């Protein structure tokens, strides 16, 4: 934890101060550093949301390979962005920007997940595996709908859409942060407060019920908090399917504990180191800051395949 904290601080200082043309300590230096604070804030929020959401989701589902992306959040985001540009043209790209549309996208994702969880995790035949299967099917249907609309876009409209669908720290709108930070803070606080219940849920449904935990209620509440975190992250920076899985997998390897509160803290630090380190290297060494999401996804997807092949099952 100490080494990760030091690495995170060094990366944050590097993002703010590296390649700053103004003399250190001058007014110009601090003005340029202030402009870079927005990118650092986006990295902190996304790392917090993705890491904690993935660990919580894997605890509730009892599977360390699945990710919240299976529930169709990113497919829904893609469908909303694609439909806006398809029906309204280039003006549609502006219609899904700004604080109002950002909050509306979050509310749509929360309504989608709330209906899904309330329907599939309540009733006599409530089953997490069925919930995952339905989420995959709905995500696939939304992805197919988006692909169908994308084929009918003009080249200009398609370029505008791709700019929104590629996860990029540099392209994140800082006007979203006053909404994103309180929502993420609320969800993380709720999960942190219920960390002991997550420890019990991780033992499995029979054990949790025998220990007096309301397994179904706690699962639904935890998944709703996951929905908030994923909606905030996806609407802020775009789809990043394997980033959360990469952070969660590294957390399990390094934390050496089943205490969710400790894992949450380590996941946040790891997320900052991974995403912030990738952003710093690509921006200041390779001058390709827009490729951060692509690189993180490639690395995360590779680790996912390696982990799956080594484990041999889902």
């Amino acid at each position: 934890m100490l080494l990760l904290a030091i690495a995170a601080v060094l990366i944050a200082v590097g993002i703010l101060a590296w390649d700053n043309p103004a003399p250190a300590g001058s007014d110009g230096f601090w003005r340029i550093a202030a402009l870079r604070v927005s990118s650092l804030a986006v990295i902190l929020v996304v790392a917090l949301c993705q890491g904690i959401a993935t660990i919580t989701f894997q605890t509730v589902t009892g599977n360390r390979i699945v990710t919240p992306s299976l529930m169709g959040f990113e497919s829904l985001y893609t469908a909303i962005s694609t439909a806006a540009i398809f029906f309204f043209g280039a003006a549609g790209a502006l219609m899904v920007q700004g604080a109002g549309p950002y909050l509306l996208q979050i509310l749509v994702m929360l309504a989608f997940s709330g209906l899904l969880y309330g329907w599939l995790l309540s009733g006599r035949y409530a089953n997490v595996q069925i919930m995952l299967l339905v989420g995959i099917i709905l995500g696939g249907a939304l992805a197919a709908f988006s692909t169908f609309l994308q084929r009918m876009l003009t080249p200009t409209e398609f370029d505008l859409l791709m700019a929104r669908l590629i996860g990029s720290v540099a392209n994140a709108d800082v006007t979203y942060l006053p909404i994103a930070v309180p929502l993420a803070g609320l969800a993380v606080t709720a999960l942190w407060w219920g960390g002991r219940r997550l420890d019990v849920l991780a033992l499995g449904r029979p054990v949790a019920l025998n220990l007096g935990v309301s397994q179904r209620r706690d699962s639904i509440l935890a998944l709703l908090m996951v929905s908030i975190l994923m909606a905030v992250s996806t609407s802020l920076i775009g789809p990043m399917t394997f980033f959360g899985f990469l952070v969660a997998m590294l957390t399990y390897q390094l934390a050496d504990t089943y205490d969710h509160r400790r894992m949450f803290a380590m996941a946040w630090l790891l997320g900052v180191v991974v995403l912030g380190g990738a952003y710093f290297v690509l921006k200041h060494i390779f001058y390709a800051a827009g490729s951060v999401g692509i690189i993180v996804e490639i690395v995360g997807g590779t680790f996912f395949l390696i982990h799956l092949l080594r484990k041999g099952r889902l």
Side-chain angles (χ1 to χ4, degrees), residues 78 82 146-153 158 161-162 165:
T78 301
T82 304
S146 300
T147 302
F148 173 73
L149 295 183
Q150 290 169 14
R151 289 183 177 273
M152 294 185 286
L153 296 176
F158 186 78
L161 177 63
M162 288 300 103
L165 298 185

Side-chain angles (χ1 to χ4, degrees), residues 91-127:
L94 299 177
M95 294 179 62
V96 291
Q97 293 180 351
Y102 174 71
L103 183 59
L104 181 60
Q105 288 183 70
I106 293 178
L107 292 177
V108 170
M109 292 182 183
L110 290 180
F112 171 77
S113 60
L115 291 174
L116 189 63
Y117 299 148
W119 170 43
L120 296 176
L121 291 182
S122 61
R124 182 178 178 183
Y125 301 105
N127 190 293

Side-chain angles (χ1 to χ4, degrees), residues 23-39:
S26 64
D27 291 339
F29 177 89
W30 292 114
R31 289 179 181 178
I32 294 174
L35 294 175
R36 298 179 177 181
V37 168
S38 59
S39 297

